[in-house]
């Protein structure tokens, strides 16, 4: 909801029919309102990484709820642009804070056979939040939408009370009895789960729990860190969040007049939500590499096609056909949501070694949200200087680069235990690792 809110807030504040004239904004203020949520996400992810290591995964989730609630209330009751910016900063900071914890927690509690499905749930939650926020903003004022968004962190605070702490974190803190209860609460008591828990205890007994910089300069940490960081930055610069934050503007630039931009935005949101569910199911059935490659190629091709169409229309206006950009945007959303977006976040809970999972997730999240901010802040300028065709060409080129990188470097992790994945990086990395 934090990601999607600016798409309905900005058009209402910029509207000539805006009844709250005291809060009307110009283009520069609009870009800051949109990017103000992205600006603190990188900082928040660093604090989140520290929290999940020192305080625990569950505690980190819990600590994000009340401040997020306060942020939404500030926006809903704002009397000036400054309060909106503060509210956006707070909600953005804790969205970043939470990002480090979510994939790590899910990866540590889920059965290897179902881990991909549950990690894909992160993408479903983002898609459903976007759709609900945009749906409310289509029919309600931006104030009412913000106040309704405030309900979610309150519900989350109540739910988190009933789930256990990560058994991996509890073992690291030398609390094996609590770890055992948490592990079996999540997995059930079966021969397979007993065997895996015993392997977890045995592995942790043999590790030195002291931390130093030298511990991070090992292949099993540096290799997955490099893979996820490059992949997740390419993910951001493939344009998904630029389109998310400026949905209405993108619809107007690519499709033109005569179309209900809000209806088109909701259609794309619904499609993204549906594809996110399908992606979760595919992560159970297919490996990470084939999904990443198909998704990356489809994303690049749809962006290149959209760029070529928009360039052609500038020179030959008579060739204009609104169904082409709609089809390109639909295909783009299908391919990018089907793998390119969820996979880097999901793999944070899989690729990093247990001892450095907090640090790795924090560094990768910091890089992701730094790229996130740069994309959201520069997208209006790119549309103005490069045009819509040039902007989508840049996004497509980055998507193509990210796909080539995945082909060369990403190992397959489907159905492998976290121990096996860590051991694999000690030896080598690549498509056959």
């Amino acid at each position: 909801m934090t990601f999607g809110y600016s798409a309905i807030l900005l058009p209402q504040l910029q509207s000539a029919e805006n009844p709250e004239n005291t809060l009307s904004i110009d283009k520069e203020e609009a870009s800051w309102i949109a990017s103000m949520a992205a600006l603190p996400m990188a900082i928040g992810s660093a604090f989140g990484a520290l929290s999940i290591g020192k305080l625990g995964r569950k505690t980190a989730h819990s600590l994000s709820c009340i401040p997020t609630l306060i942020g939404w209330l500030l926006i809903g009751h704002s009397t000036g642009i400054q309060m909106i910016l503060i509210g956006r900063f707070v909600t953005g900071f804790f969205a970043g804070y939470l990002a480090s914890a979510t994939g790590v927690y899910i990866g540590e509690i889920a059965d290897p056979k179902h881990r991909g499905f549950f990690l894909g749930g992160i993408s479903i939650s983002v898609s459903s939040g976007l759709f609900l926020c945009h749906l409310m903003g289509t029919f309600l004022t931006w104030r009412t939408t913000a106040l309704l968004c405030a309900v979610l962190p309150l519900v989350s605070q109540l739910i988190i009370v009933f789930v256990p702490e990560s058994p991996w974190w509890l073992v690291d803190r030398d609390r094996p009895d609590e770890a055992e209860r948490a592990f079996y609460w999540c997995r059930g008591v079966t021969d397979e789960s007993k065997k895996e828990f015993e392997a977890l205890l045995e592995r942790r007994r043999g590790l030195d729990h002291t931390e130093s910089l030298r511990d991070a300069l090992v292949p099993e940490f540096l290799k997955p860190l490099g893979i996820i960081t490059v992949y997740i930055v390419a993910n951001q610069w493939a344009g998904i969040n630029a389109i998310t934050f400026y949905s209405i503007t993108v619809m107007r630039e690519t499709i033109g007049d005569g179309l209900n931009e809000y209806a088109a935005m909701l259609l794309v949101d619904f499609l993204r939500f549906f594809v996110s569910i399908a992606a979760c199911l595919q992560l159970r059935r297919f490996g990470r590499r084939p999904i990443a490659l198909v998704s990356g190629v489809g994303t690049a091709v749809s962006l290149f096609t959209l760029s070529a169409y928009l360039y052609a229309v500038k020179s030959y206006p008579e060739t204009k056909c609104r169904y082409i950009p709609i089809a390109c945007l639909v295909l783009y959303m299908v391919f990018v949501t089907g793998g390119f977006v969820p996979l880097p976040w999901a793999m944070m809970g899989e690729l990093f070694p247990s001892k450095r999972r907090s640090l790795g997730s924090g560094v990768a999240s910091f890089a992701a949200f730094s790229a996130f901010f740069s994309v959201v802040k520069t997208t209006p300028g790119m549309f103005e200087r490069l045009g819509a065709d040039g902007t989508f060409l840049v996004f497509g080129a980055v998507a193509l680069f990210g796909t080539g990188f995945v082909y060369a470097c990403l190992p397959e992790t489907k159905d492998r235990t976290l121990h096996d994945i860590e051991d694999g990086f000690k030896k080598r990395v690549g498509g056959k690792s």
Side-chain angles (χ1 to χ4, degrees):
M1 287 185 164
T2 299
F3 294 167
Y5 185 68
S6 64
I8 58 96
L9 171 66
L10 298 182
Q12 290 190 33
L13 291 179
Q14 292 173 318
S15 172
E17 301 175 358
N18 175 20
E20 310 221 19
N21 292 325
T22 57
L23 293 184
S24 59
I25 57 174
D26 56 30
K27 287 186 177 181
E28 181 63 21
E29 289 172 327
S31 72
W32 274 111
I33 288 174
S35 59
M36 185 55 70
L39 176 63
M41 285 181 181
I43 304 171
S45 67
F47 279 92
L50 292 174
S51 294
I52 64 176
K54 300 295 184 182
L55 304 177
R57 285 52 160 153
K58 174 183 175 177
T59 302
H61 277 84
S62 183
L63 288 175
S64 72
C65 295
I66 298 305
T68 303
L69 167 66
I70 294 172
W72 282 116
L73 292 178
L74 282 173
I75 296 172
H77 292 290
S78 61
T79 56
I81 300 300
Q82 292 78 10
M83 284 185 67
I84 293 179
L85 291 173
I86 294 171
R88 292 283 288 163
F89 186 94
V90 172
T91 55
F93 179 91
F94 284 96
Y97 180 92
L98 191 61
S100 298
T102 306
V104 169
Y105 182 72
I106 294 174
E108 290 180 344
I109 67 171
D111 186 286
K113 295 179 181 178
H114 308 296
R115 189 172 59 233
F117 175 82
F118 288 121
L119 286 169
I122 298 172
S123 180
I124 293 181
S125 72
V126 173
S127 300
S128 59
L130 289 171
F131 177 70
L132 289 174
C133 188
H134 290 167
L135 180 65
M136 290 188 294
T138 299
F139 300 102
L140 304 173
T141 67
W142 59 270
R143 290 187 185 275
T144 303
T145 301
L147 295 177
L148 289 173
C149 289
V151 174
L152 269 295
L154 181 61
V155 173
S156 298
Q157 180 65 77
L158 297 176
I159 292 176
I160 198 69
V161 172
F162 298 99
V163 303
E165 182 54 83
S166 163
W168 286 76
W169 185 82
L170 291 170
V171 169
D172 276 343
R173 292 300 178 273
D174 197 23
R175 293 153 65 178
D177 293 338
E178 293 178 62
E180 183 177 19
R181 289 194 295 271
F183 190 88
Y184 292 139
W185 189 95
C186 296
R187 302 282 190 89
V189 183
T190 65
D191 291 339
E192 186 176 358
S193 64
K194 288 180 180 179
K195 183 178 179 180
E196 186 175 351
F197 183 70
E198 287 301 320
L200 168 61
L201 289 179
E202 186 64 30
R203 190 179 186 88
R204 302 309 291 160
R205 290 190 193 105
L207 291 180
D208 178 11
H209 293 273
T210 61
E211 297 184 354
S212 65
L213 179 60
R214 182 178 299 179
D215 294 332
L217 303 179
V218 291
E220 60 267 31
F221 177 74
L222 294 178
K223 290 176 180 178
L225 179 63
I227 291 171
I228 291 182
T229 299
V230 173
Y231 193 18
I232 210 165
V233 170
N235 162 296
Q236 294 298 326
W237 271 97
I240 181 61
N241 286 308
I243 293 175
T244 297
F245 270 57
Y246 301 103
S247 297
I248 300 300
T249 301
V250 170
M251 295 298 174
R252 289 172 181 164
E253 290 282 347
T254 56
I255 300 172
D257 298 328
L259 181 75
N260 187 322
E261 299 96 342
Y262 285 90
M265 176 180 66
L266 290 175
L267 176 62
V268 171
D269 286 342
F270 181 77
L271 179 65
R272 178 174 178 169
F273 175 66
F274 178 79
V275 174
S276 295
I277 297 175
C280 277
L281 299 175
Q282 296 305 309
L283 283 169
R284 286 189 63 183
R285 185 176 180 183
F286 300 105
R288 312 297 188 253
R289 281 177 57 80
I291 292 176
L293 295 175
V294 171
S295 171
V297 170
T299 298
V301 169
S302 59
L303 287 169
F304 287 147
T305 304
L306 179 58
S307 174
Y309 164 80
L310 294 172
Y311 180 79
V313 166
K314 287 198 301 186
S315 302
Y316 306 97
E318 65 276 9
T319 63
K320 187 173 183 179
C321 175
R322 68 176 52 180
Y323 297 108
I324 294 177
I326 291 175
C328 289
L329 286 172
V330 166
L331 289 174
Y332 168 77
M333 196 58 65
V334 168
F335 282 113
V336 78
T337 308
F340 211 72
V341 167
L343 276 175
W345 295 99
M347 289 188 302
M348 282 191 193
E350 292 186 324
L351 296 189
F352 290 120
S354 57
K355 188 175 181 180
R356 289 294 175 180
R357 197 164 289 142
S358 301
L359 175 62
S361 298
V363 173
S365 297
F366 184 89
F369 288 125
S370 297
F372 187 166
F373 171 72
S374 67
V375 173
V376 172
K377 188 67 178 73
T378 59
T379 291
M382 290 174 66
F383 269 95
E384 186 174 338
R385 294 175 177 81
L386 303 179
D389 56 325
T391 301
F392 288 119
L393 181 63
V394 171
F395 292 159
V398 175
L400 187 61
F401 166 78
T403 305
F405 179 81
V406 164
Y407 177 78
C409 299
L410 180 67
E412 186 55 72
T413 59
K414 183 178 182 294
D415 294 339
R416 295 173 63 185
T417 67
L418 298 180
H419 310 305
D420 291 338
I421 295 170
E422 181 176 341
D423 290 340
F425 277 115
K426 291 179 181 179
K427 302 171 185 177
R428 59 193 177 91
V429 68
K432 296 181 180 181
S433 176

